[in-house]
Amino acid sequence: MKQPMRRSRSQWEAILREQEKSGLSVRRFCDRESIRISNFYRWRSRLSGESSPAENTNESPVFIDMGQVDRLGEGEGGGETESYPARLFEVVLDLGDGVTLTLRRS
């Protein structure tokens, strides 16, 4: 299997400019240039200053406390009890670009 090409920061900056000028969608541009679309988006995010909180050392990571998700709706034996009625649990994450991740527990 062919090893992916490692590019420098300046090369990625040039690639991003070229894609903008090309008028092509990101997918078409990446196909034409044999670039992994995930790498393109990662570098675009990194270079535009929209890096994830874990990559940005100046900010604390964003954390949402969901409580005890693993015990929600379960009693000591793992089933429904009077003190722990069974409840629907659903989390929907919009990952952008039309992609969503849904976690559902019923």
Side-chain angles (χ1 to χ4, degrees):
M1 185 172 156
K2 186 178 173 184
Q3 286 288 327
M5 179 184 220
R6 295 187 80 75
R7 295 176 174 94
S8 69
R9 180 183 187 92
S10 60
Q11 288 173 314
W12 277 107
E13 289 169 344
I15 288 169
L16 295 172
R17 283 192 304 271
E18 186 180 335
Q19 187 277 326
E20 286 179 12
K21 291 178 189 176
S22 74
L24 296 172
S25 69
V26 171
R27 179 171 303 283
R28 282 204 150 153
F29 179 82
C30 289
D31 286 345
R32 184 184 81 179
E33 300 297 320
S34 300
I35 296 171
R36 287 187 180 165
I37 198 165
S38 60
N39 288 344
F40 181 92
Y41 283 123
R42 185 180 318 115
W43 274 98
R44 185 171 76 173
S45 177
R46 184 179 292 172
L47 295 174
S48 70
E50 299 174 6
S51 62
S52 69
E55 291 176 322
N56 189 342
T57 57
N58 295 331
E59 294 181 26
S60 299
V62 176
F63 179 77
I64 301 172
D65 186 355
M66 302 293 292
Q68 284 188 312
V69 175
D70 61 329
R71 301 278 303 153
L72 190 63
E74 294 183 5
E76 290 299 315
E80 181 177 337
T81 67
E82 190 174 316
S83 60
Y84 290 97
R87 290 179 260 170
L88 174 67
F89 174 77
E90 182 174 287
V91 175
V92 180
L93 302 173
D94 182 354
L95 302 175
D97 212 19
V99 178
T100 59
L101 173 66
T102 302
L103 305 172
R104 185 176 297 131
R105 178 182 185 164
S106 55

